[in-house]
Amino acid sequence: MTWSILERKADLRAKAGLSRSLSHRAAGDALVDLAGNDYLGLSRHPVVLDAARAALDAFGLGATGSRLVRGSTRVHEDLEARLGEVLGGAALVYSSGYLANLGVVRGLCRPRTPLIRDAHAHASLVDGCRLAGIEAEVAPHSDPAALEAMLRPGAVVLIESVYSVDGDLAPLPELYEVCRRHGALLVVDEAHALGVIGPDGAGGVAAAGLSGAEGLVVTATLSKALGAAGGVVVGPPSLRRHLVDTGRTFIYDTALPPAVAAGAHAALDLAAADAALRGDVADRAAFAASALGVPAPAAGVLSVPAPDAAGAVAWASRCREAGVAVGCFRPPSTPDGSSRLRLTVNAGIERDVFEAAVAAIVEARP
């Protein structure tokens, strides 16, 4: 491939309104942030920062190695124990949610494993299928009957509890029952549910009464409601052992920095203890949905359709000019090929500022 080919591809993306650009966020940025994933506003909570500082002083900036060399600390072990309690199983922490999903899909599959993913599954689950070397079947979105028609014994099914683009909740009890009837394993990505929904913020699986259920594996990222970074796989102890022994995205990756792990642990405890904070996220999400004329989401992710890719970019730009940062999702980041703005609720923003920001988005609408 020559550089001129890459230039031509970039020109074609630009004409289709699909170019992307990087812009830095300054410290103390004045924009009202409805684009990031800090749902509970915990990324700068003093308890979280104090925990991170203590670990930073104790262990330094980075983990200095993979978990199996020198990267494991008591901070990692404590975080895994707490995540295991919350999510119902033996937990293994990764340096990102993306790597956790890559690792668990590869770890659960053999060359002939029937692999099925929901049509709206996150890119990390899609790439996990590719890493496993299996051409996954794509199931219609959140359709238990359609999934049942596709299932074979020994299948691995990949879904999210709260979907990352549209913010809708999967029918977890129905999907789980279908999988159990056919001897299939269900993997549920709780990235956008952990800390926000379910008893004590334990996520969609716990809300469905399925914590620790047979034939169910949970993954999550620590970078959404917990305002940190990292990922986790939770399942039976035999799965954890298998991933430690054989999982390339765990074995060959530098461990999550101890300071980040400590901050995530503190944030997890805060989220579990504060029902009012979790309720505020739901209340704000319902308010924004009503103002924008879209269905109320299951958690903190709100999807608002745009006319097309160029219209989404223009709308997001007008929002930014009005002092509000929003997510702008276009193909190939959207599972259905449609463009939209994605808003994320942040309970750390003053309520009057949040409502004014929603009004600005409405005013900027095409």
Side-chain angles (χ1 to χ4, degrees):
M1 179 179 289
T2 65
W3 304 131
S4 61
I5 292 174
L6 297 182
E7 291 294 338
R8 286 199 296 273
K9 288 179 177 291
D11 289 341
L12 290 172
R13 290 194 301 271
K15 290 176 181 177
L18 300 179
S19 293
R20 288 163 165 76
S21 61
L22 293 170
S23 59
H24 75 272
R25 174 170 60 92
D29 181 73
L31 290 175
V32 180
D33 187 5
L34 299 186
N37 295 312
D38 190 13
Y39 301 133
L40 299 173
L42 295 178
S43 68
R44 299 192 64 82
H45 192 287
V47 172
V48 171
L49 296 183
D50 285 347
R53 287 190 193 99
L56 186 66
D57 289 341
F59 296 103
L61 179 61
T64 75
S66 69
R67 291 285 304 278
L68 289 171
V69 180
R70 290 283 289 171
S72 278
T73 69
R74 59 171 174 77
V75 179
H76 295 89
E77 294 170 357
D78 290 347
L79 175 60
E80 286 173 335
R82 184 71 176 104
L83 285 165
E85 291 174 357
V86 171
L87 295 172
L92 184 65
V93 164
Y94 289 71
S95 64
S96 75
Y98 206 103
L99 288 179
N101 277 347
L102 292 181
V104 76
V105 177
R106 178 66 185 88
L108 291 171
C109 292
R110 298 182 297 276
R112 298 185 182 276
T113 299
L115 187 55
I116 302 171
R117 65 171 177 85
D118 186 277
H120 288 195
H122 189 264
S124 57
L125 293 171
V126 175
D127 288 349
C129 299
R130 293 171 177 165
L131 183 64
I134 298 172
E135 187 68 34
E137 296 181 77
V138 180
H141 180 51
S142 288
D143 188 334
L147 175 62
E148 184 155 32
M150 301 170 67
L151 280 176
R152 301 188 298 282
V156 175
V157 178
L158 311 174
I159 68 170
E160 297 177 56
S161 56
V162 174
Y163 281 88
S164 57
V165 175
D166 286 340
D168 54 313
L169 181 68
L172 286 169
E174 294 86 350
L175 293 170
Y176 176 73
E177 285 303 317
V178 165
C179 287
R180 294 310 296 156
R181 282 200 297 270
H182 293 271
L185 181 69
L186 183 63
V187 178
V188 183
D189 183 348
E190 293 264 42
H192 295 273
L194 176 63
V196 181
I197 66 173
D200 298 329
V205 168
L210 296 173
S211 291
E214 180 73 20
L216 190 148
V217 173
V218 170
T219 71
T221 179
L222 313 179
S223 64
K224 310 303 183 191
L226 303 187
V232 65
V233 175
V234 180
S238 56
L239 174 61
R240 187 183 191 278
R241 179 75 262 170
H242 177 65
L243 294 174
V244 169
D245 285 345
T246 70
R248 294 174 68 86
T249 64
F250 178 81
I251 294 170
Y252 297 105
D253 185 50
T254 297
L256 186 71
V260 178
H265 191 160
L268 183 64
D269 288 345
L270 288 168
D274 198 338
L277 186 61
R278 301 193 305 273
D280 189 31
V281 171
D283 183 58
R284 290 179 187 228
F287 170 85
S290 176
L292 288 157
V294 298
V301 179
L302 191 71
S303 178
V304 189
D308 51 35
V313 172
W315 189 4
S317 178
R318 288 194 295 271
C319 290
R320 188 176 185 87
E321 291 168 1
V324 184
V326 297
C328 180
F329 277 47
R330 298 160 287 157
S333 298
T334 55
D336 55 5
S338 299
S339 296
R340 70 261 279 163
L341 295 192
R342 192 185 78 163
L343 281 59
T344 48
V345 173
N346 185 330
I349 298 169
E350 294 295 331
R351 182 59 184 251
D352 60 336
V353 174
F354 172 79
E355 293 185 1
V358 172
I361 296 168
V362 174
E363 179 66 25
R365 193 173 201 161

